[in-house]
Amino acid sequence: MRDESGTGSGTGTGPRPEPLRFFGTTWVDHQGGYLWRRAGVALGSLVVAVVSCLVLRFAYQGLAIADVGGVVNLLVVVMFAVCSAVAFRRTWDGFTKRPDPEQQASLRGLLAIGFVGSLFAYFFRSLIEAPGEKLHRQEYETARARHERGSTRRTGNPARKKKS
């Protein structure tokens, strides 16, 4: 969260909302084509996930044509299923809390293999809200509340307080 002065809406100083991919800052007040963007993201991620599944099916058929054996075919199917399930869960959790960058880097290969799971997580989350909106909204509201508490003006001279 950035605590820089000035906002895009011209309301004065304070924290600015962090833009989301494909949504910018329209998630704050759900204006500027937010609903259409959510529909587009949902449809786009679903289409890409389905096309990706077709590509994986062609790859599996290639293995079947090459006659590499039942064990290799089973290992490939299990590998993609497990990696997709892990990628789905990691992506879904990443929408509600910040992922650990070190752990994210160590799982990069696994998440790349399970890209279909990430696409489906993106699709399902965009049916509910903009992916990551809940996390960004919590951080933004916390920063705004902190800014409001810090910017309230005191009246009077504290040195002249009455001593009891």
Side-chain angles (χ1 to χ4, degrees), residues 114-133:
F115 67 98
V116 174
S118 292
L119 289 169
F120 278 117
Y122 216 79
F123 166 71
F124 288 121
R125 193 57 174 205
S126 62
L127 294 177
I128 300 168
E129 65 179 5
E133 178 181 345

Side-chain angles (χ1 to χ4, degrees), residues 25-48:
T25 57
T26 61
W27 60 268
V28 175
D29 54 3
H30 295 181
Q31 298 296 321
Y34 171 81
L35 184 61
W36 290 109
R37 289 179 190 211
R38 253 187 54 203
V41 166
L43 184 63
S45 59
L46 182 63
V47 167
V48 172

Side-chain angles (χ1 to χ4, degrees), residues 66-94:
D67 198 27
V68 293
V71 175
V72 173
N73 287 339
L74 180 66
L75 284 174
V76 167
V77 169
V78 169
M79 175 194 63
F80 274 106
V82 168
C83 290
S84 291
V86 169
F88 179 91
R89 185 63 185 180
R90 299 287 301 178
T91 304
W92 189 264
D93 288 344

Side-chain angles (χ1 to χ4, degrees), residues 5-158:
S5 53
T7 61
S9 60
T11 59
T13 63
R16 286 190 256 176
E18 193 172 330
L20 290 174
R21 179 180 297 166
F22 305 121
F23 294 93
T25 57
T26 61
W27 60 268
V28 175
D29 54 3
H30 295 181
Q31 298 296 321
Y34 171 81
L35 184 61
W36 290 109
R37 289 179 190 211
R38 253 187 54 203
V41 166
L43 184 63
S45 59
L46 182 63
V47 167
V48 172
V50 169
V51 169
S52 299
C53 288
L54 290 174
V55 169
L56 290 176
R57 181 172 181 222
F58 292 140
Y60 180 79
Q61 287 177 342
L63 289 174
I65 291 171
D67 198 27
V68 293
V71 175
V72 173
N73 287 339
L74 180 66
L75 284 174
V76 167
V77 169
V78 169
M79 175 194 63
F80 274 106
V82 168
C83 290
S84 291
V86 169
F88 179 91
R89 185 63 185 180
R90 299 287 301 178
T91 304
W92 189 264
D93 288 344
F95 295 141
T96 56
K97 61 185 175 204
R98 295 272 180 196
D100 178 26
E102 197 172 293
Q103 191 176 27
Q104 195 77 2
S106 67
L107 293 174
R108 188 171 303 153
L110 184 130
L111 296 175
I113 293 170
F115 67 98
V116 174
S118 292
L119 289 169
F120 278 117
Y122 216 79
F123 166 71
F124 288 121
R125 193 57 174 205
S126 62
L127 294 177
I128 300 168
E129 65 179 5
E133 178 181 345
K134 183 178 182 180
L135 173 67
H136 285 76
R137 188 170 301 283
Q138 288 173 345
E139 292 175 348
Y140 178 58
E141 288 175 357
T142 302
R144 282 183 47 197
R146 191 176 331 119
H147 177 74
E148 290 296 321
R149 281 193 311 265
S151 66
T152 56
R153 304 279 180 222
R154 295 184 192 166
T155 60
N157 186 350

